[in-house]
Amino acid sequence: QDTLDSLSAQGIHIDLETLAEDDPKTANLLRQGRSLGCFQIESPGMRHLLQQTGACTMDDVIQAVALIRPGPAGAGMKDAYVRRFRKLEQPDPPHPSLRETLAETYGIMLYQEDVMHVAAKAAGMDLSTADKLRRALQKRRLDELPELHNQFTQGCLRNGWSEVEAQNVWQLIEGFASFAFCKAHAVTYGRIAYRAAWLKAHHPVEYITAFLNSQTGYYASRVYVEEARRLGANILGPDINRSLEHFHGECVIPNQSGCIRIGLGSVHGLSSQTLHNIFEAREQQPFLSLPDFLERSGAHTDEAASLIRCGALDSFDHTRPELLWRLHLLRRSPIRPPRGTELNLDQWNACRPGTDPIFESPSAGWSGQGLGLQATRLAPGEQAPLFSEPPAQTPVMPGLPDWDGLKRGLAEHELLGVTLNDHPTRLFACPGETRMRAATSSPTDRRAPMPPLACAELPTWTGARVTLRAWLAASRRVRTKDGQSMRFLTLEDPSGIAEAVLFPNIYKQSTGRIRSDETLLISGTVEDQMGAHLLRVEHIW
């Protein structure tokens, strides 16, 4: 709705009820698994499933939403569905008599209603009894299950099934029904997911801006900002005179969109009261200088320093070190330069205003009006000057060079959670590169160094051993059946997203090198999992 409101303000009116359910741009986004930020279909598992099934339409999304549930997934129905969808196996139902009943879902039970239809067809149950069976399995009403189990088995036997066939289907139903969606629920979720994907495909700037402001989602805000950049949006930093509280679209070139401005509310350490003061003062007139801003906003020194460091005061036409230095001159009289100004102590003292003026108080003179004669500390035989010295001028502020890209990026990452001018993998050091060079140059190590591959290229290297130079977007640890830990990683670089898995033996060796604040260098083999590609990690450098 926030996206629709934003588009409506631009004169673009969209009726979600009339969207084409097989839109080509949306289909392309779904097939590639580029559904970051889309309701219900942005997790790694869902994006892989969309790639595996080649989802194109709203119906495909609805079925994917149902398949990912623990019931179908845990009963093995998800993998069977994918194999059958990709024509790797025949869509045979659990029993030949159920072929027509389960034809729409490739011979597997997908929705809770399928349990009812199977019970009715296999055991001759009426729909009310079949619904009672569904509810008993869903709610785990153990006291009702023995009688219903007996009814189901006897009904199957009367219809010519063997005891083994009846028990096999019962086990499928029992493991599936308690964790499956009813079809109405899956359809509702799937429609919302498809509409979100449609809006992202057709209006990415407005959609991702609205999504960022929702503060929901599976990943950190930085991941969605980089996704917006990949979709062609320009990311604009916070600006004291232009930013709203939240992310918002900004038209830099008339009649063209494509820019997302970061809101002042994203600046770490800025209080709600200061935000309120800024917006209220700005309604009177824009802030024209650092002293003007400090006087009218009431910002604390630390808050002003944070705004300077992340670039929100860049419009005052001074470098960030200069602004930090002026802030400390205005707010305090330190005995040493403030951190980050890059001034040495001699420069600092030369530019500070004097604290012990030569002239302390003017005299009244003969008429009480004063002739400029001033009382001074006179040595014997000295005369006071007739006219006062001209007032001391404001200290001249020396020009200071701005920070380099790395220092700016570090400050922006710390205060905003994003880097404005480039991707973190291009700004920040990668310790793994040094370790890889040292290891592969050793006479005892026969591994040749591999140039890093872009994350988006991973699907084209199936079966090959490759290296990714990427940033950690998400991480999930799971336990194997024997209690060992393994880890799934979502990796990201300027080209896109890649998924990786560390099995227990590799995870034990590499756990200390999985960091969220530095560029990672990871080697492994590319695996094709029925259309979705994964890096099986062998080494984290």
Side-chain angles (χ1 to χ4, degrees), residues 152-280:
F152 179 84
T153 303
Q154 295 304 316
C156 289
L157 295 175
R158 284 194 299 271
N159 287 333
W161 289 34
S162 69
E163 177 79 22
V164 172
E165 291 171 333
Q167 297 312 315
N168 286 342
V169 173
W170 174 262
Q171 288 176 5
L172 285 175
I173 291 174
E174 190 175 30
F176 160 82
S178 58
F179 297 105
F181 272 159
C182 67
K183 191 169 187 178
H185 198 149
V187 168
T188 303
Y189 273 22
R191 289 176 72 213
I192 297 172
Y194 185 85
R195 289 170 175 180
W198 189 96
L199 287 171
K200 182 181 176 183
H202 288 267
H203 303 281
V205 172
E206 291 80 5
Y207 180 78
I208 293 187
T209 300
F211 186 83
L212 282 164
N213 288 331
S214 74
Q215 297 183 352
T216 57
Y218 189 87
Y219 305 95
S221 294
R222 191 200 65 76
V223 178
Y224 302 109
V225 169
E226 293 301 333
E227 177 73 355
R229 213 191 300 264
R230 285 190 288 270
L231 292 169
N234 293 315
I235 308 302
L236 305 177
D239 185 281
I240 201 65
N241 283 319
R242 302 180 70 93
S243 289
L244 305 180
E245 182 174 356
H246 303 294
F247 291 87
H248 65 99
E250 186 170 305
C251 185
V252 174
I253 303 174
N255 301 319
Q256 291 189 23
S257 61
C259 295
I260 299 176
R261 174 77 71 179
I262 296 177
L264 294 178
S266 298
V267 181
H268 180 71
L270 207 59
S271 70
S272 57
Q273 183 60 53
T274 299
L275 276 175
H276 174 77
N277 294 346
I278 289 171
F279 297 131
E280 188 174 53

Side-chain angles (χ1 to χ4, degrees), residues 83-97:
R83 289 194 300 271
R84 295 172 185 195
F85 178 90
R86 301 182 69 84
K87 296 181 171 54
L88 299 176
E89 71 179 39
Q90 292 298 314
D92 296 327
H95 190 273
S97 66

Side-chain angles (χ1 to χ4, degrees), residues 65-66 69-72 77 109-113 115 134 138 173 175-183 185-186:
V65 167
R69 292 288 295 165
M77 297 177 187
M109 288 179 285
L110 184 56
Y111 308 108
Q112 288 184 8
E113 287 86 348
V115 172
R134 177 194 65 81
Q138 183 186 10
I173 291 174
F176 160 82
S178 58
F179 297 105
F181 272 159
C182 67
K183 191 169 187 178
H185 198 149

Side-chain angles (χ1 to χ4, degrees), residues 295-310:
E295 181 180 351
R296 294 198 289 131
S297 71
H300 297 298
T301 301
D302 290 345
E303 293 176 313
S306 294
L307 289 167
I308 291 170
R309 291 177 60 222
C310 72

Side-chain angles (χ1 to χ4, degrees), residues 206-438:
E206 291 80 5
Y207 180 78
I208 293 187
T209 300
F211 186 83
L212 282 164
N213 288 331
S214 74
Q215 297 183 352
T216 57
Y218 189 87
Y219 305 95
S221 294
R222 191 200 65 76
V223 178
Y224 302 109
V225 169
E226 293 301 333
E227 177 73 355
R229 213 191 300 264
R230 285 190 288 270
L231 292 169
N234 293 315
I235 308 302
L236 305 177
D239 185 281
I240 201 65
N241 283 319
R242 302 180 70 93
S243 289
L244 305 180
E245 182 174 356
H246 303 294
F247 291 87
H248 65 99
E250 186 170 305
C251 185
V252 174
I253 303 174
N255 301 319
Q256 291 189 23
S257 61
C259 295
I260 299 176
R261 174 77 71 179
I262 296 177
L264 294 178
S266 298
V267 181
H268 180 71
L270 207 59
S271 70
S272 57
Q273 183 60 53
T274 299
L275 276 175
H276 174 77
N277 294 346
I278 289 171
F279 297 131
E280 188 174 53
R282 211 171 66 184
E283 289 180 1
Q284 307 302 318
Q285 68 176 47
F287 297 109
L288 302 177
S289 66
L290 178 59
D292 177 41
F293 168 73
L294 294 174
E295 181 180 351
R296 294 198 289 131
S297 71
H300 297 298
T301 301
D302 290 345
E303 293 176 313
S306 294
L307 289 167
I308 291 170
R309 291 177 60 222
C310 72
L313 273 58
D314 284 357
S315 59
F316 291 160
D317 202 25
H318 290 285
T319 65
R320 296 181 194 181
E322 289 172 3
L323 287 169
L324 281 173
W325 179 62
R326 290 165 184 255
L327 172 65
H328 283 260
L329 269 180
L330 290 165
R331 281 289 171 90
R332 58 185 73 153
S333 297
I335 60 173
R336 61 178 63 88
R339 183 180 300 174
T341 59
E342 300 173 9
L343 279 180
N344 63 44
L345 191 57
D346 290 338
Q347 289 174 308
W348 174 252
N349 288 328
C351 296
R352 289 172 61 200
T355 56
D356 185 20
I358 298 175
F359 307 117
E360 295 178 346
S361 62
S363 67
W366 296 299
S367 64
Q369 301 300 314
L371 296 174
L373 200 67
Q374 296 188 348
T376 61
R377 300 193 195 100
L378 298 176
E382 289 186 346
Q383 294 181 338
L386 179 61
F387 297 102
S388 64
E389 294 288 334
Q393 295 188 2
T394 304
V396 176
M397 309 297 181
L400 294 173
D402 210 343
W403 292 331
D404 59 22
L406 174 60
K407 195 160 187 177
R408 289 169 73 101
L410 286 169
E412 291 160 0
H413 190 267
E414 174 193 343
L415 295 166
L416 303 174
V418 303
T419 51
L420 298 175
N421 296 318
D422 214 337
H423 194 276
T425 55
R426 292 173 174 162
L427 290 175
F428 301 150
C430 178
E433 290 179 330
T434 304
R435 291 191 285 262
M436 174 187 264
R437 282 194 296 268

